């Protein structure tokens, strides 16, 4: 099979199915709901969907805990609904990238249920089972911590051993060192590819290979606050070998794409994962720019805009001609970018959202739009713990709730950083429940839905929606598409605290991208090497004006072709 690397001409829309659209009134989004909204996506102009997990799952982590890889979650519908959905996508020229969650399963997966029965069960070695330490083995086998808080091990009474879970207790880690596990993964990937899937977003794929000593013991990690043990499982010992095998045995036989979720990945590592010659993954999501407003992934700090630009620029330059970037500001684990990267936008929500869109979509790579980003959905003001739904947040709350002064700190962190911001229902209209469901929604919609919604966006020719539509068209089908796709990247104003300015150059042609990230007027001086050049406006969120030294208005963004 010839692989066409179609992702280099893709704009991907991420759907978090639980919150997208409910077709049957049970308050939970579903697959028929997605099918019902495909014409909307077609109108937006995206040509691929990344669907967060829709497999059978008891929902300890909203589907990222899978109990059957070959079936659909009851609340989302049936495999037949899924087949109808993918057919309807393909009919509209929209590809489908599924989430592939194979670092762990649910503890309700048949493999795990078998594995916990006895030490000699044939599935025992599908997971990491170890004796505990200390008297009676009642202390976890090592000091690794789970991303959901506390130790990464859970004691199980049946066999008096512990199993590893780098995420929630209900998400036991698969033992990829067992060849049978790797074969199972190959088989299930093949199962979906044969059903017509176009690719996979590979969940926490950089964690799949853990350090295990020859005597079977799993060493302690270095002591540090927060996550412990990651130097033992992040880009672990056999990861490149396992991904290469998956590619050779399965992926390479289909014209599909992969994007690996790769928290903590450096440029050097990213190049190893995505170098075409090494045949592993096509692209990765790095997280570096997501760390510009927080310490240790959770503790909020002031947004460092200069660092943000530096990181994005560094990735643009380093991957140029070698690999392909993934461009994103939002997903289901991140707060909304409006406000987060723009400061308080007041009555300039539309201008700010359009400016952010330009700043990202003019870069090289695969742009991702997270559901609702195209209408400028914003972060929620959570007032009470009972408003939160994310199990990760609720686990943290359980740990701190007895310490009175921690409660307001917890709420402040959730309001800045919580994963729930992106998970409230998609805002379709000003009707009850934002038009998301006719029943009782599983998650209360954002209070601003009467004003921020799809219906309103489709009526307003100046909406954020139509601006995204224009940006997508520029990338996929315009006379500057080649520059956006293939042009090299150079930055200007690197130390400016207000402006993000870069060029994309292809031969003699250039795009100059100017973005004012601030809610105030900012003076812009044309860089010396571009002064006096003939320039035509390609897109702007205000009105067209000639390229010259000028005062940019709040969040003004302009792209010139030079
Ligand atoms: C990353 C996913 O994006 C997140 O939502 C999930 O909780 C973890 N992986 C565990 O699967």
């Amino acid at each position: 099979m010839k692989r066409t690397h179609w992702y280099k001409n893709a704009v991907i829309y991420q759907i978090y199915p639980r919150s997208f659209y409910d077709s049957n009134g049970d308050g939970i989004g579903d697959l028929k709901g997605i099918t019902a909204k495909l014409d909307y996506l077609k109108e937006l102009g995206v040509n691929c969907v990344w669907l967060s997990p829709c497999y059978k799952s008891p929902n300890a982590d909203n589907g990222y805990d899978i109990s059957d890889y070959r079936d659909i979650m009851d609340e989302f519908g049936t495999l037949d609904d899924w087949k109808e959905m993918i057919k309807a996508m393909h009919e509209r020229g929209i590809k489908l990238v599924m989430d592939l969650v194979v670092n762990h399963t649910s503890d309700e997966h048949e493999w795990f249920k078998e594995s916990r029965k006895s030490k000699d069960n044939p599935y025992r070695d599908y997971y990491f089972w170890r004796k505990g330490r200390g008297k009676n083995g009642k202390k976890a086998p090592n000091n690794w911590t789970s991303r959901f808080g506390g130790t990464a091990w859970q004691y199980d009474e049946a066999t008096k051993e512990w199993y590893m879970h780098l995420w929630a207790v209900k998400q036991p880690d698969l033992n990829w060192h067992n060849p049978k596990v790797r074969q199972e993964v190959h088989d299930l990937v093949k199962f979906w590819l044969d059903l017509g899937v176009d690719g996979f977003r590979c969940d926490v794929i950089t964690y799949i290979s853990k350090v295990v000593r020859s005597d079977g013991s799993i060493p302690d990690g270095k002591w540090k606050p927060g996550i412990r043990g990651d130097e033992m499982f992040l880009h672990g010992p056999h990861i490149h070998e396992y991904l290469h095998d998956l590619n050779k045995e399965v992926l390479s036989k289909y014209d599909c794409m992969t994007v690996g979720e790769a928290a903590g990945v450096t440029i050097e590592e990213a190049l190893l994962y995505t170098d075409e010659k090494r045949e592993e993954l096509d692209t990765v999501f790095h997280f570096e720019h997501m760390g510009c407003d927080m310490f240790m992934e959770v503790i909020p700090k002031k947004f460092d805009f200069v660092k943000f630009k530096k990181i994005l620029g560094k990735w643009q330059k380093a991957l140029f001609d070698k690999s392909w970037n993934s461009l994103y500001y939002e997903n289901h684990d991140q707060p909304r970018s409006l406000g987060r990267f723009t400061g308080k936008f007041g009555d300039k929500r539309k201008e700010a959202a359009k400016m952010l869109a330009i700043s990202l979509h003019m870069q090289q790579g695969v742009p991702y739009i997270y559901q609702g980003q195209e209408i400028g959905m914003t972060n929620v003001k959570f007032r009470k713990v009972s408003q939160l739904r994310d199990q990760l947040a609720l686990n943290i709350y359980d740990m701190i709730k007895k310490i009175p002064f921690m409660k307001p700190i917890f709420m402040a962190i959730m309001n800045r950083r919580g994963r729930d911001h992106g998970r409230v229902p998609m805002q379709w209209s000003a009707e009850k429940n934002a038009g998301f469901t006719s029943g009782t929604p599983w998650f209360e919609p954002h209070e601003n839905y009467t004003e921020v919604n799809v219906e309103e966006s489709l009526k307003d020719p100046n909406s954020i929606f139509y601006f995204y539509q224009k940006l997508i068209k520029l990338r996929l089908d315009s006379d500057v598409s080649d520059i956006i796709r293939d042009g090299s990247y150079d930055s200007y104003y690197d130390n400016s605290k207000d402006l993000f300015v870069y060029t994309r150059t292809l031969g003699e042609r250039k795009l100059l991208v100017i973005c004012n990230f601030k809610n105030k007027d900012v003076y812009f001086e044309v860089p010396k090497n571009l002064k006096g050049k003939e320039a035509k406006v390609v897109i702007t969120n205000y009105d067209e004006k000639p390229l010259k030294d000028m005062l940019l208005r709040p969040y003004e963004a302009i792209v010139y072709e030079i």
Side-chain angles (χ1 to χ4, degrees), residues 61 64 104 167 171 201 203-204 261 332-333 419 423:
D61 188 18
Y64 282 92
H104 44 267
W167 297 85
Q171 291 168 301
R201 175 266 186 187
D203 188 66
V204 283
E261 188 199 22
H332 64 291
D333 291 330
R419 306 198 300 179
R423 300 179 181 189

Side-chain angles (χ1 to χ4, degrees), residues 367-421:
Y368 288 80
I369 300 169
Y370 180 61
Q371 64 185 41
Q373 192 173 0
E374 79 283 10
I375 55 166
M377 280 176 63
T378 60
N379 289 319
V380 183
K381 173 91 188 110
F382 294 111
R383 295 186 177 85
K384 313 179 284 249
V385 176
S386 60
Q387 278 177 286
L388 303 174
R389 291 288 174 276
D390 178 12
Q391 203 49 51
L392 170 59
L394 300 175
N395 275 14
I396 298 175
Y397 180 69
D398 262 353
M399 288 187 284
I400 59 96
K401 69 182 177 207
K402 296 216 175 74
I403 319 168
F405 75 89
M406 279 303 289
K407 280 196 195 172
I409 299 179
F410 169 78
M411 282 316 281
I413 292 182
M414 286 308 131
N415 273 308
R416 275 284 298 278
R417 174 69 196 99
R419 306 198 300 179
D420 273 332
H421 291 289

